[in-house]
Amino acid sequence: MTRYTPAEIEARWQKVWDRDEVFKAVRSADKPKYYVLEMFPYPSGRIHMGHVRNYTMGDVIARYKFATGHNVLHPFGFDAFGLAAENAAMERGIHPKDWTYQNIDDMIAQMKPLGFGLDWSRLFATCDVNYYGQQQSLFLDFLEAGLVYRKNAVVNWDPVDMTVLANEQVEQGRGWRSGALVERRELTQWFFKINDYSEELLDALDTLENWPAKVRLMQENWIGKSRGLQFAFSTIDAPEGHDRIEVYTTRPDTLMGASFVGISPDHPLAKVLERDNAEVAAFCADCRKIGTTEEAIETAEKLGFDTGIRVRHPFDTAHELPVYIANFILMDYGTGAIFGCPAHDQRDFEFATKYGLPIISTYLPSEDSPETLTEAYVPAKTEKVFYNRGFAGEAHQTGLEAIDAAIDFCENSGVGQGVTKFRLRDWGLSRQRYWGCPIPVVHCDACGVVPEKKENLPVELPYDVTFDTPGNPLDRHPTWRDTPCPSCGKPAQRETDTMDTFVDSSWYFARFTAPDAKTPTVMEDVAYWMNVDQYIGGVEHAILHLLYSRFFARAMQITGHLPKSANEPFNALFTQGMVTHEIYLTRDEKGRPVYHLPEDIHWTESGARLGADGPEVQVVPSAKMSKSKKNVVDPINIISAYGADTARWFVLSDSPPERDVEWTASGAEAAFKHLTRVWNLCDRIGKMDKDAPGVGDEELLRAMHLCIHDVTMGIESFGFNAAIAKLYAFTATLQKSKAGHAAQRQAVMTLAQLMSPMTPHLAEDIWKHQGGDGLVTTASWPKADEAMLVSDTVTLPVQVNGKRRAEIVVPADMPKEEVEKAALADQAVQRTLDGAEPKKVIVVPGRIVNVVV
RNA sequence: GCGGGCGUGAUGGAAUGGUAGACAUAUCAGACUUAAAAUCUGAAGGGCGUAUGCCCGUGUGGGUUCGAGUCCCACCGCCCGCACCA
C-alpha cells in the first residue's frame, strides 16, 4: 500500500517543471497570449497566507489558461523600496539594502515550494539598479514631456527628529519615535500632472468592463468631478493685494444663505495675516498640528478664527460677511476658500452655531415649512424643494436644476463663472528618504534645476550611509551630492529626494515584458504582451496604485514607451479578500491583553487553554492575520505538515475569493484528508481488475462531464470555492462508483486534470500513475460533452402562491401546457388547492411551476 | 467626517429573481476495533406533530413581483480606504 507523501511528490514535480522550463514565457505567434499578474509583494522577509492565497489564485488562472492553449506570461517580482527597510536600519542597525536583499532571498526560498507556475527568469526587484535606473530614464522623459513639475506642498514635520514623517509614523499627532507634536511644513516637491488627465481617467473607467464595479466607483469618487461656480467676494479692510477672495462652490443656489467666508490656514491671505498678528499665527500653528491626512482634518474639532476682515455679498453689497480662518478647509481643493451656508451643510451649521453666525435658509421642504432649523436641511439634489431665497430658476425646483440656473444667472450678471473641478490632486512623488529611487536632477546655482543627462544614468544610491542621526542620509553624505552641472559643468548638487514607491509599482507590469532591456521597455515586447489580461490583488490598492498605473500607462504612451493600445494596462481586475484567523488572548495583571500564537492553544472540553492545564484563553472572532495580534499561521509550517497542495487547496475552498477566508486548523486538516482520499482513490483504481465488469459506467461519465462543466465555469468566473465544492462532490461519486476500470480510470484522470490548477503536484502524480501522456500541466483542458449534460427527465418543484408544495418529474422537453396539467394533477397540489380554482399558472421551463389562486 | 463594502444554521459559506442552507468544519449516531485514533456509513435550520405534514426562518422595518437571500427605500451593526505604509 502506497501513501500520499506530499513532500516527496511536490519536490519531484517542481524539479520536472523547472527542468522542462514549462513556465518560461517566449513570444510566439502560434498561440494567443495571456498575461496574468498578481500584485507583487513587499519583501518583508516572510511570506504569509495572504501571499499564498493571492498567488494561488493567479496560478489557477495561469495554469488553466496554459491548459486551454494560451501562451502565458506569469512573472514575479518585489516592490522593494520603502520605509520598512529604513525602520529596520534604525531599529536593528542593518543596512536597508542588505536587509531587503536578504528578505528577498528568504521569500523566494519560501515561495518556491508552493509550486507556482511562474517564469522565474523574469524576476526583478524595484531596488535593482537595472530597474530604478530605467525608472530615472522614464522620469526624464516625463519631465521633457511636461508631465512633471515642482511646487510647494505640505509634509508632516517632526521638530525633534528634524525629519519628515510618513502618515504612518504619526501616532495621535505625535512623531512615533520622538513623541514630539507633529507640525505641517511646506517643502518644494516634484509632482506628476495626473490632474490634467482627470477627465480622461474618469471617462475611461466606463471601458473597464472587467473591473469590479466597486473599484470603478471608488476611482470615480476619488477623481471627484464637480461642476460649480467660481466667483470672488470683495473685501473690506483686507491687506493690500487681497481685495478679492476667490471661492468655489458646488452649491451656488445657496448663495443667498451665505453667512461667512472660510479660508484655509494655508491660504495666501492667512499667511499675510499670520505675519503681523501673533494670535493668527498661533491659530494657524495649531491648525498645522493636526497632520496632513484628510481623515485627521475631517474628524478634528472644527475651529475658526475671526480675522476681522469682512466681505460684501455679491448680490447685496450692504450684506457683510465675516472672514474666518478655518481648520477644515484644504488649500489643495478649489481655491482654498469657501462660503459657509449653515442652513444646508451640517459642518457649516455646527460652525455657525459655535461662533454665533446667522443660519439663513435658501430652500425649504415646502412653502409652509418653518424657517427655523435645528440641523442643516440637506435633501438629495434630485429632490424638488421650495426656494424661499432663490435667485434663479423656478421657486419649486430640484437642487440640480437650481445649481444650473444659478450658474447661468451668475455668468450672465458677471458675478462668476461655471467651472468644472476635480478632487484629484496632482501626485506628489518626492520623498525625503534614502531607500528609494533617486530623482535624477541636479541643482545648480547658475542654471537652477537641471535634469541629469541620460548617459549619466543610473544615479545610483550610495551604500555608505548611516541611520544613527535624524534626517535623510543622502543629505549628509560627504560626496554623493557633489556632481558637475549637466548644463554648465560647474560644481552643483544632486537632488536628495527619492521617488514615492508608488512610482516603482506604476510600471513594473510593463517592465516584466522585457526585464533586462537597456531601455525602460522594448516596443516589440510590450506590444506583444501588454495588456495584463488578468490582474489580481488586494482591494486596498483600489484607488492609488491602480489610478497611478493608469496615469503612467498614458504618460508612457506619450513618451513612446507603450503602444496606444496599452492606455488601460489592466484588462481585467480581481480584488481578493484577506486570510483571517481567530485571536487568542489572556490578560496580564493590569488587564492589558496578551496575545498567543494559535499553536500554543490547547483545546479542552472546557474551552481554549494555554497549555494543557494552563489558564483559560479568550477567543476573539477572526481578523486579518497580524504579527501584533499573533493570529498568524506560517505557510512554511503548513507546507511541512501537509504539503503545498493542501495549503493551496484550503485557501481556495470555503470562501469566495473576493471575500476574506478564515484559516482554521480543522479546515487545513480536512483539505489534507481530502487530498489523501483522492490519492488513495487513484491507488485503488490503479489496482482494479481491468477486465472485471462494472455497473453504472454511464452515470459516472455523466457526473464527470457535469463536473468538467461546473469546474470550468467556476474557474472562468473566479468561483474557485464553488469549483472545489463540485470536485468534492464528484470525488464522493467516484468513490462510491461501481463502474468498470476504464470508466473509473477516465474519471480519476479527468479529476486530476480538473484539480491540476489548484493542486498541481498531486494531479501530476495521479496522471503519471494512470499512465497519462506527458505532463498533466501541458495536457489540454478536458471539454464537457454537451450531450452528456442533459438528462431525459427533470424534477420540477411546484409552488402554490409562492410556497413549495410538491415536486413533479416530467420529460425535459414537455410542453408548458402539459407541465401545467401535470402540476395541477399532482395529489399534494390538489390537496393544497382544496378545490380552489387557480387564477394563473406560471411555468418556467426546467425550473419551477407556480400556481396562483 | 467623507467614500466603499458586508450582514444566511453552532462555524466558513452555496444559491443566472425560481425547491434557502450545496460543499466543508464542528456535533451526534452506527460500522470496523479489546479500546482509542484513523477510515467508512448516516443524521442534522428552529418549532409543533406518531405521521402523510404544518408553521416560522437569510440583521431590522417597509416596498416591487406570480415568486425576493437576491431588486428598491429607510434604519441598525460590523469591516475597509482616505493621497508620505505598501
Side-chain angles (χ1 to χ4, degrees):
Chain A
M1 177 79 186
T2 42
R3 276 183 44 214
Y4 173 48
T5 49
E8 184 196 309
I9 291 175
E10 290 172 2
R12 173 155 21 105
W13 292 110
Q14 283 164 21
K15 231 176 267 169
V16 172
W17 298 328
D18 261 1
R19 185 197 64 204
D20 295 357
E21 296 191 325
V22 171
F23 300 105
K24 195 174 166 77
V26 180
R27 275 195 281 134
S28 150
D30 317 340
K31 294 176 181 175
K33 70 92 189 178
Y34 195 90
Y35 184 1
V36 56
L37 182 66
E38 302 91 349
M39 291 179 187
F40 61 168
Y42 180 78
S44 59
R46 305 292 297 175
I47 65 162
H48 52 70
M49 277 301 170
H51 293 128
V52 175
R53 193 175 191 216
N54 189 214
Y55 289 100
T56 302
M57 286 179 194
D59 203 36
V60 169
I61 300 292
R63 287 171 178 273
Y64 170 74
K65 287 293 171 184
F66 199 86
T68 51
H70 293 80
N71 190 24
V72 175
L73 173 59
H74 187 205
F76 180 71
F78 289 96
D79 189 13
F81 275 133
L83 201 53
E86 292 193 13
N87 293 343
M90 285 186 277
E91 282 162 15
R92 281 173 275 167
I94 313 168
H95 192 282
K97 184 174 178 179
D98 299 338
W99 184 83
T100 303
Y101 278 102
Q102 183 60 54
N103 285 350
I104 287 173
D105 287 346
D106 291 349
M107 286 178 79
I108 291 171
Q110 293 160 43
M111 284 284 287
K112 291 260 183 172
L114 282 156
F116 296 130
L118 291 164
D119 180 354
W120 288 97
S121 72
R122 291 175 189 255
L123 179 86
F124 65 76
T126 54
C127 64
D128 293 348
V129 182
N130 266 341
Y131 184 79
Y132 74 73
Q134 296 304 328
Q135 184 163 300
Q136 291 169 340
S137 173
L138 270 185
F139 178 89
L140 294 178
D141 289 348
F142 285 12
L143 189 59
E144 201 184 337
L147 293 160
V148 198
Y149 69 102
R150 270 160 50 100
K151 71 168 180 182
N152 285 348
V154 176
V155 294
N156 297 306
W157 179 256
D158 185 321
V160 170
D161 274 352
M162 306 287 281
T163 185
V164 175
L165 296 178
N167 283 333
E168 191 188 55
Q169 297 171 315
V170 179
E171 291 167 357
Q172 282 144 14
R174 292 173 181 275
W176 67 332
R177 293 171 71 83
S178 68
L181 278 174
V182 171
E183 297 166 8
R184 279 191 271 168
R185 178 176 275 210
E186 274 198 4
L187 297 179
T188 306
Q189 307 197 51
W190 289 96
F191 284 82
F192 287 121
K193 285 190 179 171
I194 189 172
N195 195 21
D196 284 2
Y197 294 82
S198 296
E199 187 91 58
E200 197 192 324
L201 289 168
L202 180 67
D203 290 346
L205 284 174
D206 289 338
T207 67
L208 302 175
E209 288 163 24
N210 294 314
W211 282 40
K214 68 170 174 182
V215 173
R216 287 183 301 184
L217 184 60
M218 284 163 89
Q219 292 218 350
E220 185 182 325
N221 289 331
W222 190 258
I223 294 169
K225 183 177 181 173
S226 67
R227 171 119 180 115
L229 179 74
Q230 187 159 330
F231 68 101
F233 286 102
S234 55
T235 55
I236 307 166
D237 300 333
E240 216 185 309
H242 291 278
D243 48 340
R244 288 157 60 83
I245 298 176
E246 286 277 336
V247 299
Y248 172 75
T249 177
T250 57
R251 292 306 298 259
D253 57 321
T254 66
L255 194 45
M256 299 311 287
S259 69
F260 66 94
V261 166
I263 62 172
S264 164
D266 299 315
H267 191 275
L269 175 56
K271 288 190 175 166
V272 172
L273 296 172
E274 194 175 14
R275 231 171 26 213
D276 308 326
N277 184 326
E279 259 188 281
V280 176
F283 179 79
C284 289
D286 271 349
C287 292
R288 284 179 196 125
K289 282 179 186 155
I290 294 176
T292 59
T293 72
E294 194 174 317
E295 183 192 7
I297 291 164
E298 289 295 324
T299 50
E301 189 190 355
K302 307 297 179 285
L303 295 175
F305 183 91
D306 188 350
T307 60
I309 297 169
R310 296 289 177 268
V311 296
R312 291 196 174 87
H313 194 285
F315 293 153
D316 176 8
T317 49
H319 182 186
E320 293 181 7
L321 312 175
V323 176
Y324 280 77
I325 299 170
N327 64 354
F328 56 87
I329 300 169
L330 298 167
M331 194 54 221
D332 295 308
Y333 186 63
T335 59
I338 60 152
F339 77 76
C341 178
H344 304 299
D345 181 291
Q346 191 57 29
R347 187 174 61 190
D348 292 350
F349 186 93
E350 281 158 23
F351 191 85
T353 309
K354 186 167 186 170
Y355 294 104
L357 299 165
I359 294 163
I360 311 155
S361 64
T362 60
Y363 49 80
L364 301 164
S366 66
E367 274 166 288
D368 39 339
S369 310
E371 262 203 54
T372 329
L373 300 170
T374 53
E375 57 174 6
Y377 173 51
V378 192
K381 280 186 202 170
T382 48
E383 200 171 301
K384 212 165 226 188
V385 293
F386 166 65
Y387 276 79
N388 57 327
R389 288 193 185 81
F391 57 91
E394 308 289 325
H396 292 274
Q397 58 185 336
T398 66
L400 288 174
E401 290 162 349
I403 290 166
D404 285 343
I407 291 173
D408 283 350
F409 182 91
C410 291
E411 281 185 343
N412 291 334
S413 52
V415 166
Q417 305 82 43
V419 178
T420 298
K421 283 202 189 289
F422 295 91
R423 202 187 77 101
L424 180 64
R425 314 203 286 253
D426 275 338
W427 170 14
L429 67 116
S430 301
R431 296 292 181 271
Q432 297 68 41
R433 293 185 214 297
Y434 166 75
W435 194 234
C437 171
I439 295 173
V441 296
V442 175
H443 297 266
C444 171
D445 286 341
C447 312
V449 179
V450 185
E452 183 55 273
K453 289 179 183 163
K454 276 205 179 171
E455 60 261 37
N456 293 338
L457 297 185
V459 177
E460 209 167 325
L461 283 171
Y463 182 78
D464 53 336
V465 290
T466 53
F467 291 86
D468 43 11
T469 35
N472 183 348
L474 294 178
D475 270 338
R476 300 191 299 264
H477 194 279
T479 55
W480 185 78
R481 299 182 67 174
D482 303 326
T483 187
C485 169
S487 172
C488 68
K490 287 186 193 139
Q493 301 222 292
R494 291 196 185 285
E495 167 97 38
T496 59
D497 282 358
T498 53
M499 296 187 205
D500 179 7
T501 57
F502 274 120
V503 180
D504 312 335
S505 56
S506 289
W507 70 286
Y508 77 109
F509 46 87
R511 183 70 182 169
F512 274 135
T513 64
D516 303 317
K518 301 289 175 235
T519 47
T521 61
V522 175
M523 196 44 82
E524 272 185 310
D525 290 301
V526 279
Y528 177 80
W529 289 113
M530 286 297 285
N531 296 342
V532 176
D533 292 281
Q534 182 64 60
Y535 197 32
I536 302 170
V539 72
E540 66 271 22
H541 295 291
I543 297 172
L544 294 181
H545 163 59
L546 291 166
L547 192 60
Y548 291 159
S549 296
R550 296 178 62 217
F551 163 72
F552 244 66
R554 285 163 172 79
M556 287 175 74
Q557 185 256 311
I558 290 166
T559 50
H561 296 291
L562 276 182
K564 181 104 182 83
S565 56
N567 254 4
E568 284 298 337
F570 310 122
N571 287 350
L573 172 71
F574 188 85
T575 54
Q576 102 279 7
M578 297 177 303
V579 182
T580 65
H581 198 285
E582 284 179 332
I583 297 167
Y584 309 106
L585 66 90
T586 52
R587 301 273 172 184
D588 67 7
E589 60 282 0
K590 289 191 178 128
R592 289 170 305 205
V594 180
Y595 297 100
H596 304 285
L597 291 167
E599 55 258 40
D600 296 336
I601 306 303
H602 291 252
W603 292 94
T604 64
E605 287 186 2
S606 56
R609 295 187 170 275
L610 199 58
D613 300 310
E616 203 161 321
V617 170
Q618 192 185 337
V619 181
V620 179
S622 224
K624 179 180 183 172
M625 286 189 180
S626 87
K627 265 188 202 155
S628 63
K629 300 270 163 64
K630 289 199 174 176
N631 61 335
V632 287
V633 173
D634 193 326
I636 300 308
N637 296 341
I638 300 303
I639 292 169
S640 56
Y642 302 119
D645 281 339
T646 291
R648 296 171 57 121
W649 182 262
F650 181 70
V651 290
L652 295 175
S653 56
D654 283 4
S655 290
E658 67 274 17
R659 262 203 254 173
D660 294 350
V661 65
E662 183 180 25
W663 184 276
T664 59
S666 56
E669 199 178 316
F672 177 72
K673 282 182 188 172
H674 179 73
L675 299 188
T676 305
R677 241 183 334 259
V678 173
W679 203 92
N680 291 340
L681 186 55
C682 163
D683 193 52
R684 194 208 80 204
I685 293 169
K687 289 171 181 158
M688 275 174 80
D689 179 351
K690 314 254 179 315
D691 304 317
V695 287
D697 284 23
E698 187 180 329
E699 279 109 308
L700 180 63
L701 294 178
R702 273 188 191 276
M704 181 189 87
H705 282 282
L706 190 61
C707 188
I708 294 172
H709 175 262
D710 289 346
V711 171
T712 305
M713 294 293 285
I715 292 176
E716 294 260 4
S717 63
F718 271 86
F720 302 134
N721 56 326
I724 282 178
K726 302 291 184 187
L727 287 166
Y728 268 111
F730 179 58
T731 305
T733 304
L734 177 54
Q735 216 164 4
K736 286 172 197 163
S737 172
K738 299 274 187 283
H741 174 260
Q744 292 215 29
R745 174 172 178 269
Q746 197 191 343
V748 81
M749 286 181 77
T750 303
L751 178 65
Q753 277 193 289
L754 295 176
M755 287 174 75
S756 69
M758 295 95 164
T759 58
H761 314 87
L762 174 64
E764 288 288 8
D765 222 54
I766 292 174
W767 190 256
K768 179 159 182 268
H769 247 77
Q770 299 294 336
D773 274 345
L775 296 174
V776 73
T777 302
T778 52
S780 54
W781 192 251
K783 275 203 172 59
D785 181 350
E786 294 292 328
M788 294 290 271
L789 298 180
V790 291
S791 58
D792 305 337
T793 59
V794 287
T795 306
L796 292 184
V798 183
Q799 297 181 333
V800 178
N801 286 338
K803 283 187 195 291
R804 192 183 72 89
R805 296 297 174 185
E807 267 179 8
I808 54 171
V809 179
V810 296
D813 55 356
M814 191 186 235
K816 271 191 177 188
E817 305 78 53
E818 302 274 323
V819 174
E820 186 175 328
K821 265 184 221 160
L824 290 174
D826 185 88
Q827 249 188 358
V829 174
Q830 282 296 322
R831 194 174 52 237
T832 314
L833 288 177
D834 194 22
E837 201 52 35
K839 271 193 222 133
K840 195 165 151 192
V841 180
I842 291 146
V843 178
V844 184
R847 276 278 175 205
I848 204 166
V849 181
N850 192 9
V851 181
V852 187
V853 290

